[in-house]
Amino acid sequence: MPLISLVRHGQASFGAQDYDALSDLGREQATAAGRELARRGLRDPHLMTGTLTRQRDTAQLLAEAAGFTDPVREDPRWNEYDHLALLARYTDPVPTGQADSRAVQGLLDRALEAWMEDTERTGPTGWATFENGITAALTELTTTLGQGRDAIVVTSGGVLAALCGALLSLPPAGVVALNRVTVNAAVTTLVVGSSGTSLLTFNDHAHFTSDRRRLLTYR
């Protein structure tokens, strides 16, 4: 049965002028994830990524470290939601001097849950459009794999949470809880069987244990 390894991008540059760029640590994380995926012996992996810089760069570093030579294909449906737009729409600004990653994460948790519960917002900025785009991208990917090929998709924490939430039929609070604990460059694995696609493992970051524990980050 085909396996799909969903990889969260490496650490982005929180607080920098260009958040979308990988940090130096994020680049190390991407390389470590690539080595881990090479160790797993995936079958002729189909490589996919979103179009955000942090996703594309993670995919490239991962592929280089793993020795994967197939081209990395891009699909914007694997892109993260616009967290700045959500914060502006559903929360108050972070007080001056408190704009650290934990403060922002707390506000984002509330904004994300409010977005999912906002049934009046439809169209391209609605939660349903975001979730449906992700599930459609997954369905399209599974149809291309056949029985002898696996896939690797580099995406983001919100996408992972939304997709796992859909597979497990979780309420909004459950999706938020998954989103909060996604580890940079962790691997979530799906298995594609005759009865559909199922979640096999979530947020596996064993490649960041022992002497590599310094690579473990959530934001």
Side-chain angles (χ1 to χ4, degrees):
M1 294 185 290
L3 297 177
I4 300 176
S5 299
L6 304 172
V7 182
R8 188 188 178 194
H9 61 76
Q11 184 188 60
S13 299
F14 180 83
Q17 185 173 2
D18 183 8
Y19 169 79
D20 198 24
L22 289 179
S23 68
D24 289 342
L25 183 61
R27 298 179 69 84
E28 288 189 69
Q29 292 167 335
T31 296
R35 290 171 179 160
E36 169 61 19
L37 290 170
R39 185 193 66 80
R40 296 185 183 194
L42 300 177
R43 301 167 302 169
D44 186 23
H46 178 103
L47 305 179
M48 179 73 69
T49 182
T51 63
L52 300 177
T53 299
R54 59 190 184 273
Q55 297 171 337
R56 294 166 65 184
D57 288 353
T58 296
Q60 187 62 44
L61 290 165
L62 180 156
E64 291 173 359
F68 299 141
T69 57
D70 281 3
V72 180
R73 294 169 176 82
E74 298 181 5
D75 185 339
R77 290 176 296 182
W78 294 103
N79 287 358
E80 183 67 290
Y81 52 74
D82 185 341
H83 72 285
L84 294 178
L86 290 188
L87 290 170
R89 185 184 307 151
Y90 294 111
T91 69
D92 295 325
V94 180
T96 302
Q98 297 184 26
D100 58 33
S101 61
R102 290 190 179 184
V104 172
Q105 184 64 54
L107 290 176
L108 185 58
D109 286 352
R110 297 198 292 274
L112 182 56
E113 188 164 355
W115 183 35
M116 286 186 282
E117 294 175 342
D118 186 357
T119 57
E120 295 183 0
R121 182 170 291 275
T122 57
T125 61
W127 168 258
T129 300
F130 177 72
E131 183 182 43
N132 290 340
I134 298 164
T135 55
L138 175 63
T139 299
E140 184 177 305
L141 176 60
T142 61
T143 61
T144 68
L145 294 179
Q147 290 301 312
R149 194 174 193 192
D150 298 320
I152 298 169
V153 181
V154 177
T155 183
S156 295
V159 175
L160 289 167
L163 188 54
C164 292
L167 290 172
L168 298 175
S169 301
L170 296 180
V175 175
V176 171
L178 292 181
N179 185 65
R180 187 186 307 121
V181 298
T182 53
V183 170
N184 291 118
V187 182
T188 291
T189 303
L190 310 180
V191 60
V192 183
S194 58
S195 60
T197 302
S198 302
L199 177 64
L200 190 61
T201 66
F202 171 71
N203 207 32
D204 179 3
H205 53 280
H207 45 297
F208 298 146
T209 56
S210 187
D211 60 336
R212 297 187 298 275
R213 186 170 178 80
R214 66 178 184 82
L215 297 176
L216 176 64
T217 62
Y218 297 88
R219 288 176 285 275

